[in-house]
Amino acid sequence: MELNEEQVIITMPRIGDPAPSFSAVTTQGNINFPSDYHGSWSILFSHPADFTPVCTSEFMTFASLETKFTAVNCKLIGLSIDGLYSHIAWLRTIKEKIEYKGMKDVEITFPLIEDITMNVARKYGMIQPNEDSTKAVRAVFFVDPKGVIRAMIYYPLSLGRNFDELYRVIVALQTSDAFDVATPADWQPGDDVIIGPAGSCGTAKNRMEDADIECQDWFFCTKKLSKELVLDTILNKE
Ligand code: BEZ
């Protein structure tokens, strides 16, 4: 059955869901997501349109940080509701003409998905019609090596993303997985980490008595985790 425009289903994935799968044409060839990315973290992000200034500043920033993301086993994939030739022309223009905050001659080597049909954008809730019905918002999905959505952030069209925060999210998620801890407000590697809430009176008591754990109260306990150990654990060692 063919759906009319009002009936088109827009889904919003949730944290903990398997990343919705799709095949797509990109500026780096065809991809199957998330299966091609199994074993790596990935950031799938959308932008409103090619040849727009905020998006251009974001792509240049992401490209300049790509080696940092690669070092923590994280791959980048962009998307907008534009065609492949528009993407290619825009990326060529960025490399040839645009200078921003000292970045110039910037080559975008991560894939940029063409999504003129909005197939992927609809699956990922990237179209938010009260913001714009034909442009994707600035969505960011953090997908783990098993293809599970672990975090997501949405920004409106007018607001460029903070790329230090996107990197911090990847590092914090990997740290939580590796050390079975949580990360408090504004956490950065080297800061104390949080021990999850005690599930029994016995655990609460043991924690209060553990010399390696500092408890403000039984429910708020932290421990040291050195920056070196965090970085040694999450940085790729080839
Ligand atoms: C931009 O990337 O500059 C932009 C795109 C859509 C709406 C507003 C700004």
Side-chain angles (χ1 to χ4, degrees), residues 192 195 207 210-217 220-224:
D192 292 355
I195 321 251
R207 278 190 190 168
D210 187 328
D212 292 332
I213 297 179
E214 191 178 322
C215 290
Q216 310 288 322
D217 200 343
F220 191 167
C221 299
T222 57
K223 70 173 182 183
K224 305 262 170 248

Side-chain angles (χ1 to χ4, degrees), residues 1-9:
M1 187 186 68
E2 191 89 353
L3 298 176
N4 67 34
E5 212 170 315
E6 282 80 50
Q7 291 170 317
V8 167
I9 294 162

Side-chain angles (χ1 to χ4, degrees), residues 31-228:
I31 62 166
N32 295 299
F33 190 83
S35 55
D36 289 351
Y37 292 79
H38 193 82
S40 298
W41 287 79
S42 51
I43 294 181
L44 172 66
F45 67 100
S46 56
H47 69 276
D50 297 344
F51 292 101
T52 50
V54 177
C55 301
T56 300
S57 71
E58 291 191 318
F59 264 67
M60 294 178 79
T61 308
F62 234 159
S64 73
L65 294 172
E66 193 179 2
T67 49
K68 225 174 136 177
F69 283 93
T70 304
V72 292
N73 189 28
C74 178
K75 295 182 173 158
L76 311 175
I77 310 138
L79 174 147
S80 74
I81 298 161
D82 289 293
L84 183 64
Y85 300 130
S86 165
H87 283 345
I88 293 170
W90 180 44
L91 300 188
R92 285 174 63 86
T93 306
I94 289 176
K95 179 164 165 52
E96 285 162 16
K97 297 205 181 132
I98 310 294
E99 187 168 347
Y100 172 69
K101 283 197 172 169
M103 295 176 274
K104 61 177 184 182
D105 197 25
V106 172
E107 184 148 8
I108 279 84
T109 55
F110 55 81
L112 173 51
I113 294 169
E114 79 152 7
D115 196 28
I116 207 87
T117 61
M118 304 190 190
N119 172 42
V120 181
R122 286 195 178 112
K123 282 189 175 179
Y124 278 81
M126 291 166 172
I127 307 287
Q128 306 203 355
N130 289 331
E131 175 72 347
D132 196 298
S133 58
T134 57
K135 293 182 176 66
V137 296
R138 299 181 198 280
V140 190
F141 294 89
F142 301 82
V143 179
D144 76 12
K146 293 183 178 147
V148 173
I149 294 177
R150 298 291 301 277
M152 44 198 194
I153 310 178
Y154 289 88
Y155 295 71
L157 269 51
S158 63
L159 177 58
R161 287 163 270 219
N162 181 319
F163 289 82
D164 292 336
E165 172 63 1
L166 305 190
Y167 179 74
R168 192 187 78 93
V169 170
I170 283 286
V171 170
L173 289 170
Q174 293 189 18
T175 300
S176 289
D177 286 0
F179 297 99
D180 193 22
V181 292
T183 49
D186 293 334
W187 178 86
Q188 294 286 351
D191 292 348
D192 292 355
V193 289
I194 303 263
I195 321 251
S200 70
C201 294
T203 309
K205 180 170 180 295
N206 292 345
R207 278 190 190 168
M208 297 293 282
E209 291 166 0
D210 187 328
D212 292 332
I213 297 179
E214 191 178 322
C215 290
Q216 310 288 322
D217 200 343
W218 66 271
F219 71 93
F220 191 167
C221 299
T222 57
K223 70 173 182 183
K224 305 262 170 248
L225 182 57
S226 75
K227 183 172 180 173
E228 292 67 35

